[in-house]
Amino acid sequence: MNRYQLSQSLNHLPDDLLEETQAARSRRRPRWKPLAAAAACLLLAAGAWALAGRPAEPTPDPDLPVLTIDRDYGGMGDYPLSAEEFAAYDGGPWQEGMELAALPVFRNTTRMDVANGFRTGGGDYAQLRRTMERLAAAAGADVAQAAVEARVPDETVQAAMEDAWAGETWQCGVTFAVRGGPTELALTWEDVTVTVGESGELWVKLSRPELASLTPDAAAAWLLEQYGAVFGEQTRYFMAAQDSGGYSLYFYRPEEDLTQGILQRSILKTWVRLSGGSCELRLYRPELSDANTVGDYPLVTVDQARQRLAAGQHLSAWEPFPGEDRVKRVDLQYLARQTDRYFMPYYVFWAECDDGEQGVCYRPYYVPAVADAYIAGMPQSPTGAA
């Protein structure tokens, strides 16, 4: 039977049979349009649920200015720590695994610019002198009877520095130099000498033969007992470096609050160099007041900081970065360098290195901790990762 004959035969079937057959076919036909519409609704609902559960990308706070990072590799730790020093090194109250969403950033009001080899800027000398006198009194000096000297580089020194800069033979760091003002003030009383520079850092030099035979722990206890007024509430200390000429101790004030603890450990600590019977204390006391606070800035995670480190986005006196497998510890600290515009937090990655004859040592690599949206001039290592 061909197609025509089949059609003709169907035409002779009873109408009631044809209607029953058509109804059965209609019941079996898939209803695609309603099903498609229902599926689309389900997909939209699932998508809305997923977006609601996913954290939104943070919108940058317009009240927080973008921070410029100076690509200055000075002051990044010009010596490595030995295995013994690294084991005793106190990286501060923050430890990897702690959650900290934000930290404050401060303006450096005594920041120094370097132009043609000369440091410019610095603090208010009247204020610095008052600070120097208070510190000298705490160290036992009779301030009223003490001699105060304002040290200014003379014309010969300035001319020599300018000639060296012009002839591109300037090799050493900036040692003198501030145009139009003293390099430092110095107060001397008997065996106590206190100096303060335009950056606000204070030095106290003491001659104490009693220290020559003491261990670091005993020397720290002796210093706290004799000069408690100088240290104030800085009762916690750790040894940072030791060599044939002596050793260094850092004192800081312990804090229960994590943010304040990081600030005390990173910026407001006191460095003490002990060598034989001589003792040199260095204190840096920038004003971390509300007036100098830029704001609380969101932080990247440690994992994000590791990605920056691998990409060469770090500050370090050591090149190249030896690789993630060499990182043995991570700290969260502030940098407080005299040339920085801001005091801002950094993750410090300590990498194990081979220092030749010295054996195993540990070197720091500083990665900005502030979120990307608030950083301009992200540092880029000249060589990147190894």
Side-chain angles (χ1 to χ4, degrees):
M1 181 180 293
N2 57 28
R3 183 180 304 174
Y4 172 79
Q5 291 172 328
L6 176 61
S7 176
Q8 289 296 104
S9 299
L10 290 174
N11 288 336
H12 291 289
L13 290 175
D15 291 342
D16 57 347
L17 180 60
L18 288 174
E19 290 176 2
E20 190 174 318
T21 304
Q22 181 65 29
R25 290 182 61 194
S26 297
R27 287 194 297 269
R28 292 195 301 268
R29 183 184 299 128
R31 301 179 181 273
W32 290 110
K33 290 184 178 181
L35 286 175
C41 291
L42 287 174
L43 287 173
L44 287 174
W49 177 83
L51 289 175
R54 182 188 304 167
E57 292 295 327
T59 302
D61 187 343
D63 294 330
L64 292 178
V66 175
L67 306 172
T68 300
I69 297 180
D70 300 302
R71 300 188 183 188
D72 177 11
Y73 294 86
M76 307 308 302
D78 55 0
Y79 61 88
L81 295 181
S82 67
E84 179 183 2
E85 292 165 349
F86 183 70
Y89 185 76
D90 182 351
W94 183 90
Q95 297 179 6
E96 191 169 0
M98 291 183 176
E99 294 185 3
L100 195 57
L103 278 174
V105 171
F106 304 90
R107 296 180 187 88
N108 182 0
T109 57
T110 59
R111 175 178 180 262
M112 294 183 302
D113 290 311
V114 178
N116 295 332
F118 286 86
R119 297 182 298 189
T120 60
D124 178 349
Y125 268 86
Q127 177 62 46
L128 294 177
R129 176 161 182 162
R130 291 192 291 270
T131 304
M132 177 185 67
E133 290 176 347
R134 286 199 302 269
L135 182 60
D142 185 346
V143 175
Q145 301 296 321
V148 177
E149 175 189 5
R151 298 173 179 173
V152 183
D154 58 28
E155 294 181 0
T156 302
V157 172
Q158 292 194 21
M161 293 173 67
E162 290 177 338
D163 291 343
W165 186 271
E168 298 183 356
T169 59
W170 185 264
Q171 298 294 330
C172 62
V174 180
T175 54
F176 286 96
V178 57
R179 294 181 187 271
T183 300
E184 63 183 20
L185 301 176
L187 184 151
T188 304
W189 169 256
E190 296 179 351
D191 59 353
V192 177
T193 300
V194 180
T195 59
V196 58
E198 71 274 11
S199 67
E201 188 174 26
L202 297 108
W203 296 267
V204 182
K205 295 181 181 179
L206 305 167
S207 176
R208 291 293 181 266
E210 302 96 316
L211 293 170
S213 59
L214 298 181
T215 64
D217 287 345
W222 189 91
L223 287 168
L224 289 172
E225 180 181 358
Q226 297 294 321
Y227 297 103
V230 174
F231 292 101
E233 298 178 359
Q234 294 184 326
T235 57
R236 185 168 294 175
Y237 65 91
F238 62 95
M239 186 174 71
Q242 186 174 14
D243 53 43
S244 58
Y247 53 90
S248 297
L249 299 174
Y250 283 94
F251 291 78
Y252 65 97
R253 187 177 78 194
E255 292 278 356
E256 291 185 4
D257 179 77
L258 182 56
T259 297
Q260 288 301 316
I262 295 173
L263 290 172
Q264 291 292 330
R265 164 61 181 80
S266 302
I267 301 179
L268 302 176
K269 61 184 180 293
T270 298
W271 174 84
V272 180
R273 171 68 179 174
L274 297 167
S275 180
S278 66
C279 174
E280 182 179 1
L281 296 80
R282 294 190 180 185
L283 302 86
Y284 188 44
R285 295 293 180 269
E287 187 180 351
L288 305 182
S289 63
D290 290 342
N292 291 334
T293 303
V294 183
D296 290 335
Y297 281 76
L299 307 180
V300 297
T301 65
V302 175
D303 289 340
Q304 291 171 321
R306 290 181 189 276
Q307 294 174 11
R308 289 181 176 179
L309 179 66
Q313 296 177 342
H314 61 74
L315 293 172
S316 180
W318 309 99
E319 300 296 345
F321 173 58
E324 170 66 26
D325 59 325
R326 294 292 189 92
V327 173
K328 300 304 178 184
R329 197 178 72 198
V330 186
D331 300 329
L332 180 57
Q333 301 175 2
Y334 281 78
L335 275 181
R337 300 179 300 173
Q338 298 172 353
T339 55
D340 284 333
R341 291 181 175 86
Y342 305 102
F343 301 132
M344 53 188 294
Y346 286 77
Y347 287 106
V348 186
F349 291 84
W350 288 93
E352 184 181 80
C353 305
D354 186 356
D355 204 22
E357 295 181 358
Q358 302 298 324
V360 174
C361 64
Y362 299 84
R363 296 171 176 168
Y365 294 81
Y366 295 77
V367 175
V370 172
D372 290 12
Y374 303 99
I375 290 184
M378 179 69 77
Q380 184 63 52
S381 167
T383 56

